[in-house]
Amino acid sequence: GQLGDRGLLFSADGAEFAVRDTKKNLDSLYVHVGVVKKGALTIGQALELQVEGGRRAQLRANHSVTHVLHEALRRELGDHVTQKGSLVAPDYLRFDFSHPKAMSDEEIIAVEAEVNRRIRENMNVATRVMSADDAVKSGALALFGEKYGEEVRVVSMGDSVGEPDGHYSVELCGGTHVRRTGDIGYFKISGEAAVAAGVRRIEAVTGAAAVERAKTQETRLGAVASVLRVA
């Protein structure tokens, strides 16, 4: 894209550096990897960071919905469900989780409905920084295989939904998120399949992409009905 694969652009004095990847080294050192698109950069040069707003908003929605989806899966399928991997892109998301068998159509419909219900509730999304021990004591879910420092960031969703601890979802997470779940708009599962023994994958879309998928499906059904001459 115009601003690089991550939608970030550093610029100064006519020079531009498009970020293609960001890595975290040690506990607090972030390294941006990319290409110089224009001009030249020098050591010690001050740079201005620009973020592609539309792309970032889509990433926020797709990232936040993985938290809601995780909790919805646990409530529908059982506490054995844990996240095993994920990919958050501007146009879609995928979520890998532990489960011994394929989800039934009824389970997929129920999970999708639960996620959309929580989106419509427009739950508050809050972040807190605390010690790793306090986070675990608060019941926050940790991601698979992640290494955490002494301080962690806890993302909670829902503060008045009748939950025992006052929150619908609480996870350790350092990523970007929406302010309220209503910002996600709409959630639509596009596929469910196996990726490894005991691991399933859900692919989905949100917001405008989810609406576009629904419109496409409706158009296809209308074309089929026309060919078959049925309602």
Side-chain angles (χ1 to χ4, degrees), residues 1 7 14-15 18 24 28-29 44 53 56 60 63 78 81 84 90 96 115 152:
K24 183 178 181 181
S28 58
L29 177 63
R56 180 57 60 90
R60 286 194 185 106
H63 187 184
V81 170
K84 293 298 183 182
D96 299 346
V115 172
V152 294

Side-chain angles (χ1 to χ4, degrees), residues 100-209:
K101 60 182 179 179
M103 293 176 63
S104 67
D105 290 343
E106 291 76 14
E107 288 171 336
I108 292 175
I109 291 171
V111 167
E112 185 176 278
E114 167 69 2
V115 172
N116 280 309
R117 183 166 74 89
R118 298 300 180 171
I119 289 173
R120 290 193 302 273
E121 285 181 354
N122 200 25
M123 299 185 300
N124 182 54
V125 178
T127 60
R128 295 169 293 164
V129 176
M130 61 180 71
S131 71
D133 289 341
D134 287 343
V136 172
K137 290 177 183 177
S138 73
L141 292 176
L143 296 184
F144 73 104
E146 288 284 340
K147 295 182 179 179
Y148 298 99
E150 293 183 2
E151 283 194 334
V152 294
R153 188 163 171 263
V154 179
V155 177
S156 58
M157 298 187 179
D159 52 13
S160 59
V161 292
E163 303 300 331
D165 59 357
H167 299 291
Y168 179 74
S169 166
V170 184
E171 295 190 21
L172 304 187
C173 182
T176 184
H177 285 282
V178 298
R179 294 181 181 274
R180 305 190 73 90
T181 57
D183 298 338
I184 297 167
Y186 175 45
F187 171 77
K188 184 66 180 174
I189 294 175
S190 56
E192 191 272 351
V195 292
V199 179
R200 309 294 302 180
R201 169 173 293 172
I202 281 179
E203 294 191 353
V205 287
T206 64

Side-chain angles (χ1 to χ4, degrees), residues 19-31:
V19 178
R20 299 301 173 90
D21 191 18
T22 301
K23 301 177 179 179
K24 183 178 181 181
N25 294 348
L26 305 177
D27 284 334
S28 58
L29 177 63
Y30 291 85
V31 179

